[in-house]
Amino acid sequence: MKTTFWPMAGGVGDGFASYLKILRYVSESRIDRAGLIGWLKNEFQLMESYAKNVASLLLFGTGLIESVDGSCVLTEAGRRILEQAKPGILYEHIAGQFLGITDIVDILDTLQPLTWEKLFDAWHARVCKISPEASKWKKSHAKMQFRHRLDWLRSLSIVNKLADSFYLSKTGMEDRTQRRLKTAKGQTEAESISHGDIEDKLKLIGDFFEFLSIKRATVNEARPAKATKLSENRQLDCLWARVVHFGGKVQYAFEVQVGGNISDAIERLEMVASFVQKAVIVTNDSQQTLIEQRLAVKNSPLRDKILYYLTTTSTTSRKP
């Protein structure tokens, strides 16, 4: 795994566009490696050493471009990235080749949002354990290498910045989930990973809108202090709560239902229906139909509170 990373011309704002411009130029031109370096210097106003590093580390070294009979040509991966023009494809091709890129995604998935300093500290500790070479880096060099990686992830919209903190975009969270699903041992574990991923997103959104956002909140937490309490530990997938001045407490309860036992999800929401503004079920078309049928047969008071958010996520074929 490579340890030295280099920033693409264009930085955070235009980094991906620079990749596409270079790949398009190579696909339409007949030039050798020296000619490509010269073009990079002129097109992006780079020093020769910078242009050489871009060519060596980011283009030839990553397998986007190769030399055939002395001429630069796109590899299959380079052609696919140019044709589809999707940042996620470039990320998939390059991220695993360099130390510490997917580590930033993993850290944010667990601890986001984080300031630059806290994210760097967590990343530095992690890569030092993985790589003997990285453990010998001076702090200044480690910070430079971290910045290059973080800026690259931002240029691909894998990581976003809000105020002074960084967090994963939708694309970044999906990548993290897909990598975990690839190592899942069986259907049950895969279902648990997808379910947990949606819960994490719900909590993150709640935090963003400044709710007290609680993943796996107990049913009792959503019920008033004077209400009858459950002795069993029944849990909602997520609860958003906020105290509004002169308006009391505002609450939203969430359940993720893309497979499994519908009755349990309905029962948990019915237990809190009288104490929340809305009950939201993240589900798919087929599950929504079943839920609506059951609520209608029961004449459930939940019908006046329920909202559905449809997702294509489905990792189980079990019948409810």
Side-chain angles (χ1 to χ4, degrees):
M1 184 175 290
K2 307 177 186 75
T3 55
T4 300
F5 195 68
W6 197 257
M8 172 54 76
V12 173
D14 297 315
F16 182 62
S18 296
Y19 275 100
L20 295 181
K21 180 181 285 189
I22 294 167
L23 296 176
R24 187 174 298 108
Y25 177 75
V26 170
S27 72
E28 296 173 350
S29 307
R30 188 174 180 82
I31 54 170
D32 59 13
R33 186 166 182 147
L36 175 60
I37 292 172
W39 179 82
L40 290 171
K41 286 174 55 181
N42 295 328
E43 182 68 23
F44 298 104
Q45 301 299 302
L46 304 177
M47 299 290 290
E48 184 165 357
S49 59
Y50 195 128
K52 286 182 177 180
N53 281 327
V54 168
S56 297
L57 297 175
L58 301 183
L59 302 174
F60 288 96
T62 59
L64 298 179
I65 296 174
E66 61 184 348
S67 292
V68 177
D69 297 330
S71 295
C72 298
V73 297
L74 299 185
T75 63
E76 181 179 348
R79 288 192 298 271
R80 187 162 64 99
I81 291 165
L82 177 60
E83 290 168 0
Q84 298 190 31
K86 294 180 179 179
I89 299 176
L90 179 65
Y91 172 81
E92 290 173 4
H93 179 72
I94 290 182
Q97 299 185 37
F98 290 90
L99 172 74
I101 291 181
T102 58
D103 294 278
I104 294 175
V105 175
D106 292 344
I107 291 166
L108 286 175
D109 179 67
T110 304
L111 302 173
Q112 66 183 340
L114 289 174
T115 62
W116 196 97
E117 291 78 11
K118 290 183 178 179
L119 181 54
F120 168 74
D121 288 342
W123 176 85
H124 190 221
R126 184 162 174 158
V127 296
C128 284
K129 291 180 180 179
I130 298 172
S131 169
E133 180 181 344
S135 67
K136 297 176 183 177
W137 285 345
K138 292 183 178 180
K139 197 71 169 286
S140 58
H141 182 73
K143 286 186 174 182
M144 179 184 69
Q145 285 296 310
F146 171 72
R147 186 181 298 279
H148 292 340
R149 288 160 170 78
L150 182 60
D151 287 350
W152 185 77
L153 289 169
R154 292 179 62 200
S155 75
L156 302 184
S157 297
I158 303 294
V159 172
N160 289 334
K161 182 182 181 183
L162 180 66
D164 64 345
S165 295
F166 297 89
Y167 62 96
L168 292 181
S169 67
K170 177 183 177 182
T171 302
M173 295 182 78
E174 289 174 350
D175 165 75
R176 168 64 173 155
T177 300
Q178 289 304 313
R179 285 191 287 117
R180 292 172 64 202
L181 285 172
K182 288 179 181 178
T183 62
K185 298 176 181 178
Q187 188 68 29
T188 300
E189 185 177 347
E191 180 184 336
S192 176
I193 290 171
S194 287
H195 193 283
D197 172 63
I198 296 174
E199 291 177 345
D200 290 339
K201 289 177 180 177
L202 289 171
K203 183 181 185 308
L204 180 63
I205 294 169
D207 289 338
F208 179 83
F209 287 108
E210 298 184 346
F211 282 91
L212 172 62
S213 186
I214 308 170
K215 179 180 174 181
R216 302 289 175 87
T218 66
V219 167
N220 287 335
E221 288 179 278
R223 293 168 63 85
K226 296 182 180 179
T228 304
K229 300 298 183 183
L230 293 176
S231 58
E232 56 184 322
N233 185 29
R234 302 294 296 276
Q235 293 181 330
L236 302 166
D237 286 330
C238 193
L239 176 69
W240 294 358
R242 179 190 293 164
V243 175
V244 179
H245 293 299
F246 307 110
K249 193 174 186 180
V250 176
Q251 296 189 122
Y252 297 90
F254 295 85
E255 280 291 324
V256 179
Q257 183 61 38
V258 292
N261 195 322
I262 287 177
S263 298
D264 281 352
I266 290 175
E267 185 177 22
R268 287 191 294 270
L269 290 178
E270 285 180 331
M271 290 177 181
V272 301
S274 299
F275 313 111
V276 299
Q277 274 59 44
K278 292 293 179 183
V280 183
I281 296 184
V282 180
T283 188
N284 53 41
D285 288 319
S286 60
Q287 295 276 294
Q288 179 180 348
T289 300
L290 293 172
I291 293 168
E292 289 174 340
Q293 290 173 351
R294 296 194 185 190
L295 293 181
V297 169
K298 295 175 66 177
N299 195 28
S300 171
L302 189 59
R303 289 187 301 170
D304 296 329
K305 294 288 184 77
I306 200 163
L307 295 174
Y308 298 96
Y309 180 85
L310 297 183
T311 175
T312 57
T313 302
S314 180
T315 60
T316 178
S317 58
R318 292 183 302 169
K319 293 181 181 180

